[in-house]
Amino acid sequence: MTPESVGRSVARDRHPEPAPSGEARRYVGQWVEDEAIGPDRVRAFVLILRTRGCYWADVKGCTMCGYSKDTLGRSATPEELAEQLSRALARYHDEPYVKVYTSGSFLDDREVDPASRAAIVSAFSGKARRFLFETLPEFAQPEGIGPLKDAFAGELEVALGLESTDPTVLGRFINKGSSPAEYLAAADRLSALGVRTKAYLLLKPPYLTESEAVADVVRSVREAAQHFDAISVNPVHIQNGTVVEWLYHRGRYRPPWLWSLVDALREGAAVRGGSRLVSFPTAGGLPRGPHNCGECDARVLAAVQEASLAQEFGPLDALDCGCRAEWRTTLAYAPLGVEA
Ligand code: SF4
Ligand SMILES: [Zn+2]
């Protein structure tokens, strides 16, 4: 079985039916989390809007991404987006860092029309210091960014899901539609427009061994650091309806060990140049998320969070547990039965 044939068998049924209007008036999720802006510890207001979702998920989709379950199957109207925003603003308490996601690209007009985009950004202007959103690189263009810079008095930060700077890992194992070079060029374009940039890197895409996954992140940190202000390492967690889940159910994929994340951060910190390096894993310590033995997971996750906020990675060296020896024996495991 090849990565392509696994992808075809999983892709068939992951697109939602067009949603009724009631659902379109409710955002997907909202929470507040710890973050940092430079040396300042701050609270971050996170909002996931419900939109038509990522167009690439309709075309082919990425092997680890199950976000299409949170989408509408059609574009949200400006009125529906305005109601989602107004419900979210009722919960906003002037947190300095605001992150707005769409399960796709905030700058894709099919997901968020330009007027709604400007209205969303300006709703936080004068209150938040930094506003982050995510987009695919093809939408990171001056005509999309310019109005948002005008609408927001603070700092705009654009996140790009670069995942890996290795063309084979990105194109064949993750199945992204753009090359690493296109992501790096988009980051340079955004920097030239005076926008802060953040790269998401994926720890342990399918078809890599544990040690190959660490090496892939470290190499990607070194290359991305020349183009991005910040780099976030996101360990894979198993989302429903994905190729990764298909492999997981057949015993051909284990989410990354937290020890691999620790190694990726320690080695990545040495090659990150002036970029911030952070990791705030999703589903950490759970069977479908990055995990160790169960005994040490909470301790390791707390240390990773503190290292990310403080930008001090030395304390990670002091972490240890009996399961570290077991992790070492699994480093070279190849995924069974898959021709990579
Ligand atoms: S990972 Fe990003 S580009 Fe890939 S399908 Fe999901 S939302 Fe789209
Ligand atoms: Zn342990």
Side-chain angles (χ1 to χ4, degrees), residues 70 79 111 116 145 165 175 218 230-232 272 274 278 306 330:
D70 294 329
E79 294 72 31
E111 291 194 51
S116 297
I145 296 290
T165 58
N175 208 21
V218 175
I231 298 168
S232 178
R272 67 180 158 141
V278 299
E306 179 55 28
T330 68

Side-chain angles (χ1 to χ4, degrees), residues 259 292-297 321-324:
W259 294 126
N292 282 349
C293 66
E295 293 292 315
C296 63
D297 296 51
C321 178
C323 71
R324 215 174 147 89

Side-chain angles (χ1 to χ4, degrees), residues 9-192:
S9 74
V10 172
R12 270 181 223 119
D13 62 357
R14 70 172 154 210
H15 304 304
E17 292 298 312
S21 184
E23 192 178 335
R25 293 179 184 279
R26 289 192 296 273
Y27 53 72
V28 175
Q30 186 280 314
W31 65 89
V32 175
E33 63 187 20
D34 289 329
E35 252 292 3
I37 297 180
D40 301 337
R41 305 285 178 111
V42 299
R43 299 288 279 163
F45 180 87
V46 185
L47 171 63
I48 319 251
L49 292 171
R50 202 181 297 278
T51 69
R52 81 171 293 288
C54 173
Y55 86 92
W56 180 246
D58 293 345
V59 180
K60 283 192 165 177
C62 299
T63 51
M64 73 303 185
C65 179
Y67 292 142
S68 62
K69 74 177 186 339
D70 294 329
T71 62
L72 289 172
R74 63 168 173 83
S75 293
T77 65
E79 294 72 31
E80 288 166 342
L81 289 169
E83 185 155 347
Q84 291 186 38
L85 175 64
S86 127
R87 287 179 191 224
L89 287 174
R91 304 173 72 92
Y92 178 60
H93 300 295
D94 292 0
E95 285 85 0
Y97 204 149
V98 172
K99 306 176 182 180
V100 175
Y101 298 99
T102 67
S103 307
S105 292
F106 189 64
L107 293 182
D108 183 348
D109 292 354
R110 292 164 291 186
E111 291 194 51
V112 186
D113 60 280
S116 297
R117 216 153 48 215
I120 292 165
V121 170
S122 76
F124 297 96
S125 186
K127 299 171 189 143
R129 287 165 60 188
R130 182 180 289 175
F131 184 101
L132 173 144
F133 58 84
E134 187 175 10
T135 190
L136 281 169
E138 55 267 45
F139 303 116
Q141 303 295 347
E143 51 274 25
I145 296 290
L148 303 187
K149 286 198 75 181
D150 295 341
F152 188 65
E155 187 175 39
L156 287 183
E157 183 174 37
V158 179
L160 299 171
L162 166 63
E163 320 297 5
S164 169
T165 58
D166 183 306
T168 301
V169 172
L170 189 65
R172 189 145 189 249
F173 300 167
I174 299 175
N175 208 21
K176 278 271 162 118
S178 301
S179 67
E182 288 169 300
Y183 278 88
L184 300 181
D188 292 347
R189 266 197 318 277
L190 291 164
S191 297

